[in-house]
Amino acid sequence: MKKPAWVIEKERAKRAASAETVWLFGLHAVRDALMNPARERLRLVVTKNAADRLAEAIAEAGMEPEIADPRKFPVPLDPGSVHQGAALEVKPLDWGKLRDLCQTGPHAPRLVLLDRVTDPHNVGAILRSAEVFGARAVIAPHRHSAPETGALAKTASGALERQPYLRVKNLGDAMLELREMGYTLIGLAGEGETVIDDLTPDLADRPVALVLGAEGPGLRERTRELCDHLVRIPFAGEFGSLNVSNAAAVSLYAVTRGVKGT
């Protein structure tokens, strides 16, 4: 029997509404989202133990939590998600427009651009490093990138609430816009002829955007062509390599030494 049109439309609307929300989980991620005034919060589900541990943040947010049985946690999380008895349904954060977020001003901001880095754990770790080293933003394309998810937020350990993670329609176009704004685009590539440490002294007072690709494929051809420099991280061993989140941390350290502000 064919479903009536109104039923099909209702189901479609429900799926669309569901896709527009994110379930954050874990005590750190939930606490920081509760304390973030910019975060639109919809539903808080916690066990009694988690509610006690999050009491201050829950009071700050003014939310009425749903107390759940830890054996039957009623939240649509992936199997194996370590929720620690806390889950919060939210709307994704809106970080605004690229040009507004990345204005250079009197300082020399640092950015991290991710070319098809889809692993949420890598992106979460990069957000943590970006916050530690004072990067202005982490930028990725809408497609073929890690969306804002509970797994990403948990790995970021709260950094998602504070560190801008902006997803743009086209990464190449964003790179062109950033160059117009005065940014130097530095691509990380294992075959780069220049060691990153040799280039950074000349960039202390200039806006810099680090561009990193996914592990394996690396930077796409157009992304490479748009970079002003291709650099590599020196390794002590002949076959040394780093995953993308570690490479981002090392690169951020290299380009933030000697910079007075971001």
Side-chain angles (χ1 to χ4, degrees), residues 26-27 45-51 54 66 68 70 73 82-87:
L27 291 172
V45 181
V46 290
T47 62
K48 179 63 170 64
N49 181 55
L54 294 171
E66 300 175 29
F73 203 64
V82 183
H83 54 71
Q84 299 174 294

Side-chain angles (χ1 to χ4, degrees), residues 36-180:
N36 182 4
R39 177 67 85 173
E40 184 178 348
R41 301 172 289 265
L42 304 175
R43 182 184 173 200
L44 174 63
V45 181
V46 290
T47 62
K48 179 63 170 64
N49 181 55
D52 293 340
R53 299 176 69 178
L54 294 171
E56 184 177 344
I58 293 172
E60 178 77 17
M63 292 195 74
E64 186 66 36
E66 300 175 29
I67 304 300
D69 184 334
R71 296 166 297 182
K72 298 179 181 179
F73 203 64
V75 173
L77 301 177
D78 291 334
S81 297
V82 183
H83 54 71
Q84 299 174 294
L88 177 66
E89 187 179 16
V90 299
K91 291 282 189 177
L93 289 166
D94 181 3
W95 291 106
K97 296 182 179 179
L98 177 75
R99 185 167 290 272
D100 296 334
L101 183 62
C102 302
Q103 284 292 343
T104 55
H107 301 302
R110 270 51 182 144
L111 306 174
V112 178
L113 276 59
L114 303 178
D115 186 17
R116 296 198 174 195
V117 178
T118 58
D119 186 331
H121 300 95
N122 273 330
V123 175
I126 290 168
L127 287 171
R128 291 184 70 178
S129 296
E131 182 180 32
V132 167
F133 291 108
R136 180 71 60 81
V138 175
I139 299 167
H142 275 298
R143 297 181 62 192
H144 306 295
S145 67
E148 187 175 325
T149 63
L152 188 155
K154 194 170 192 301
T155 307
S157 193
L160 180 64
E161 303 302 319
R162 301 177 295 270
Q163 176 62 50
Y165 179 43
L166 182 66
R167 298 171 72 207
V168 296
K169 183 176 181 180
N170 185 286
L171 189 66
D173 292 348
M175 292 173 71
L176 290 172
E177 187 172 356
L178 290 170
R179 179 180 287 138
E180 291 176 2

Side-chain angles (χ1 to χ4, degrees), residues 206-227:
R206 300 178 61 180
V208 171
L210 293 167
V211 190
L212 296 98
E215 295 170 41
L219 299 173
R220 288 175 295 164
E221 183 176 354
R222 184 177 185 231
T223 307
R224 286 170 174 269
E225 293 173 351
L226 289 174
C227 289

